[in-house]
Amino acid sequence: MKLIYEWNQQVIDISEVEVMNDIEFSIKVLSPSHFDDMNNIQKIFESNDVITDVLIYTYTNHKYRIIVRKEYYSDFILQLMKNQLLKKVEWKEELP
């Protein structure tokens, strides 16, 4: 099964790439009403017991580089959804 998602292109611009054992995201928050959401997500992951689950690097103009360990991928995606940065998340059957 693979987790797939959709986003509103007026809210964020998002891309991801697999780098060794991690998934690296590039996110730019476009909507002023969502500017604080990435900070909220960062606080959630910083407050848990695992220091290296999700690393969020903040840049100017609401751009972020996020490194997510593979085993925390779904947790991160669900936090994006919870903060309404994504509009749809679903599991899809992977074809052989």
Side-chain angles (χ1 to χ4, degrees), residues 11-96:
V11 173
I12 65 169
D13 182 26
I14 185 171
S15 64
E16 69 175 72
V17 62
E18 188 172 332
V19 180
M20 296 172 60
N21 291 326
D22 300 323
I23 308 296
E24 188 172 312
F25 289 86
S26 291
I27 295 177
K28 180 171 183 176
V29 181
L30 304 170
S31 171
S33 65
H34 291 279
F35 283 166
D36 290 334
D37 292 335
M38 285 305 300
N39 294 330
N40 295 336
I41 293 170
Q42 184 171 10
K43 287 176 187 172
I44 288 167
F45 286 104
E46 285 179 350
S47 68
N48 69 15
D49 292 339
V50 182
I51 296 172
T52 60
D53 53 352
V54 175
L55 302 173
I56 299 177
Y57 300 94
T58 305
Y59 298 96
T60 58
N61 298 323
H62 308 284
K63 292 182 184 177
Y64 302 87
R65 180 173 162 242
I66 300 103
I67 300 170
V68 180
R69 285 185 21 203
K70 283 185 181 179
E71 58 266 30
Y72 293 96
Y73 180 82
S74 59
D75 295 335
F76 178 70
I77 295 297
L78 293 175
Q79 281 300 322
L80 293 175
M81 181 70 173
K82 182 178 177 182
N83 283 273
Q84 300 179 354
L85 294 172
L86 300 177
K87 63 181 184 179
K88 181 179 180 181
V89 176
E90 69 178 304
W91 289 105
K92 282 281 189 170
E93 198 71 41
E94 287 188 87
L95 300 174

